[in-house]
Amino acid sequence: MNTMTLDIGGTAIKSGIFKNGVLSDVTETPTEANQGGAHVVERAIEIIEDYRARHDFGQIGISTAGQVNPATGSIIYANSNIPGYTGTRLKDTMEKTFGLKTFVENDVNAAAIGESAFGAGRDLDDFVCLTYGTGIGGAIFTKGRIYSGSSYSAGEFGAIVTHPNDRNPEKDMFSGCYERYASAAALVKNAMLINPSLSNGRLIFEHLEDETVRRLIDDWIMEIIYGLTSVIHILNPSCVILGGGIMQQPYIFERL
């Protein structure tokens, strides 16, 4: 059976058709997350309708940013990266719209499941997975399955407090937290203070030979290490898998 698949992130919605372990017709669409959760859902529906004109598929699988209850397919909590997304009943909406069984999971949990089946987590019963993008997501894979915690929110590594002196939860719930310093968005924010044209990770690493930019990147990599140190000491995983487009840069792994 063909499966329509979507990955809803703060920056882009990635989509494709999955069959027999292979993805095809993969596309990427801007999320336009700043327009709110309802808009993001409409974007997802439009993408699926476009695929339905070209493909037959019998079910829908969605990985998404935010804390997810996979039993109900609803968004338990989403931060300001997608305003108004908290409470969205994604599974119900898609099943009502398309009449197809729909499965919804947190994006990094889905990534960890994928790594276990096809990637760096094969043959491993215990590992952690972190992704670095607009925020920082995490997943704990233990005894051959995802550990969800008591309310489906285990692995929120982006909320580890790494800078307690900057903590001001009344102003920003994630102030002082890992993702405010070690996410790809944090790197871009700081790089644009140096040079406004450095508006994404690719452009930043194209200026790696610039001493000021390289020093900024090195400081950012240290922020990544601060959080990873806590994760490794607490969970003692057999493997740490790092994802997100920014992690394709060889320099990051060399420094880590």
Side-chain angles (χ1 to χ4, degrees):
M1 179 190 297
N2 289 354
T3 301
M4 176 72 230
T5 63
L6 289 90
D7 174 57
I8 300 174
T11 303
I13 300 174
K14 301 178 179 69
S15 52
I17 298 295
F18 182 83
K19 183 178 181 181
N20 298 327
V22 177
L23 273 174
S24 62
D25 196 5
V26 177
T27 62
E28 186 171 315
T29 307
T31 306
E32 299 177 351
N34 63 326
Q35 297 189 40
H39 178 77
V40 170
V41 173
E42 285 301 316
R43 297 281 281 175
I45 290 172
E46 290 171 1
I47 291 167
I48 295 172
E49 287 177 339
D50 180 64
Y51 273 84
R52 190 163 62 169
R54 306 193 307 274
H55 298 280
D56 291 323
F57 46 86
Q59 58 187 3
I60 300 169
I62 300 175
S63 65
T64 177
Q67 296 176 8
V68 175
N69 181 334
T72 63
S74 58
I75 308 301
I76 300 170
Y77 173 77
N79 63 24
S80 58
N81 292 336
I82 307 181
Y85 199 41
T86 298
T88 299
R89 301 185 67 84
L90 205 51
K91 173 182 171 70
D92 289 349
T93 298
M94 295 304 174
E95 291 187 344
K96 181 179 180 180
T97 302
F98 297 103
L100 296 174
K101 188 72 174 175
T102 300
F103 304 87
V104 184
E105 180 58 277
N106 166 266
D107 51 2
V108 191
N109 283 350
I113 293 168
E115 293 289 353
S116 176
F118 301 106
R122 281 178 295 181
D123 304 320
L124 296 176
D125 288 334
D126 298 90
F127 62 85
V128 293
C129 183
L130 296 91
T131 60
Y132 298 78
T134 307
I136 295 176
I140 303 168
F141 199 86
T142 183
K143 297 181 180 179
R145 60 185 298 175
I146 289 291
Y147 174 71
S148 298
S150 62
S151 58
Y152 305 107
S153 59
E156 290 291 334
F157 301 132
I160 294 173
V161 177
T162 55
H163 291 257
N165 290 339
D166 295 340
R167 189 86 176 117
N168 185 358
E170 292 183 1
K171 182 178 179 181
D172 174 11
M173 182 59 70
F174 285 86
S175 60
C177 290
Y178 189 36
E179 73 172 40
R180 287 289 182 262
Y181 305 89
S183 64
L187 174 64
V188 171
K189 179 181 178 180
N190 290 328
M192 290 182 70
L193 295 177
I194 297 172
N195 181 345
S197 70
L198 301 180
S199 57
N200 61 54
R202 177 182 56 80
L203 291 171
I204 292 169
F205 278 88
E206 285 179 359
H207 289 76
L208 188 59
E209 298 306 314
D210 182 318
E211 183 178 346
T212 302
V213 173
R214 187 172 66 252
R215 186 162 55 247
L216 178 77
I217 292 171
D218 287 346
D219 289 344
W220 172 72
I221 290 172
M222 283 305 304
E223 295 290 349
I224 294 175
I225 290 169
Y226 296 151
L228 288 181
T229 300
S230 295
V231 170
I232 290 168
H233 279 283
I234 292 168
L235 295 173
N236 187 32
S238 59
C239 177
V240 176
I241 301 173
L242 306 182
I246 196 77
M247 288 299 163
Q248 296 178 25
Q249 297 291 336
Y251 182 78
I252 298 175
F253 277 97
E254 291 169 10
R255 297 292 293 176
L256 286 174

